[in-house]
Amino acid sequence: MTGNEIRQKFLDYFQRHDHQAVRSSSLVPADDPTLLFTNAGMVQFKRCFLGEEKRPYRRAVTSQKCVRAGGKHNDLENVGYTARHHTFFEMLGNFSFGDYFKRDAIQFAWQFLTETLGLPEDKLWVTVYEDDAETEAIWLEEMKVSADRFSRCGARDNFKGSRFSLLSVRMSLPPATSISISKSLFPSSSMSPSASWSW
């Protein structure tokens, strides 16, 4: 499956689940003096999350072009040394503006990866923030993910800190949960040891 096919499957999946497809915004944010470049998919929705802007939809899906060449999300020192660090890339994202939260986001993610992409469940690993008992219960009790493929991560390995900084101290985001897949599924690939999706 090519990158273009994965992108289209992602956009199609979330549009079938009532998400408005939103075009990639400019690499140079037009109305955000805090950023030199768009460094994440949520940048164009920053004002929505801060309650400063209302859109005519409550769910969105994007394939956002991003540049990371400095600041907190600086991958520049790793470019050329790994197969997964890039200064320019596309970030696929699904967003809810007060419409759904953890449970639905987890169900969407799992269904997309296992049913739409056909990834084998026994090769997927799930992580949650170490104190996030609610998300842990969703994964283990509702989604029936095996405890052997589940772990808790502290602040250093969880994405909460980096997501929080994108929106400034005016808004607090919940800890992230991630799904990773083993490189063993891609023996001829130059991918890093795992590919990871965060919701």
Side-chain angles (χ1 to χ4, degrees), residues 127-162:
T127 65
V128 300
Y129 185 65
E130 60 190 351
D131 296 331
D132 191 355
E134 178 187 4
T135 303
E136 178 177 349
I138 293 170
W139 279 118
L140 296 177
E141 297 168 21
E142 296 178 32
M143 302 304 293
K144 306 297 185 193
V145 168
S146 169
D148 295 341
R149 293 179 287 106
F150 175 88
S151 63
R152 296 177 178 192
C153 294
R156 181 174 166 264
D157 298 314
N158 188 273
F159 293 105
K160 178 182 181 181
S162 60

Side-chain angles (χ1 to χ4, degrees), residues 23-161:
R23 292 177 57 98
S24 179
S25 63
S26 171
L27 282 174
V28 179
D31 60 353
D32 190 342
T34 67
L35 294 171
L36 181 59
F37 297 112
T38 297
N39 63 356
M42 56 70 56
V43 168
Q44 68 173 305
F45 303 116
K46 190 172 167 181
R47 295 183 65 223
C48 298
F49 287 120
L50 292 170
E52 298 171 355
E53 178 185 338
K54 291 274 189 201
R55 302 261 177 127
Y57 46 83
R58 297 188 68 194
R59 297 178 177 195
V61 61
T62 65
S63 176
Q64 175 63 51
K65 295 172 179 64
C66 299
V67 170
R68 290 189 180 168
K72 183 169 180 68
H73 296 287
N74 184 6
D75 292 342
L76 197 56
E77 70 275 4
N78 294 314
V79 173
Y81 293 99
T82 74
R84 69 184 180 100
H85 286 94
H86 308 283
T87 54
F88 175 77
F89 58 95
E90 287 183 271
M91 184 178 286
L92 303 177
N94 60 294
F95 303 91
S96 169
F97 311 111
D99 188 58
Y100 63 86
F101 195 49
K102 291 180 183 183
R103 179 169 285 102
D104 291 319
I106 287 170
Q107 290 171 348
F108 284 143
W110 193 254
Q111 185 180 51
F112 173 72
L113 294 173
T114 60
E115 296 178 21
T116 303
L117 294 186
L119 299 177
E121 292 185 18
D122 64 342
K123 298 294 184 186
L124 299 175
W125 280 263
V126 172
T127 65
V128 300
Y129 185 65
E130 60 190 351
D131 296 331
D132 191 355
E134 178 187 4
T135 303
E136 178 177 349
I138 293 170
W139 279 118
L140 296 177
E141 297 168 21
E142 296 178 32
M143 302 304 293
K144 306 297 185 193
V145 168
S146 169
D148 295 341
R149 293 179 287 106
F150 175 88
S151 63
R152 296 177 178 192
C153 294
R156 181 174 166 264
D157 298 314
N158 188 273
F159 293 105
K160 178 182 181 181

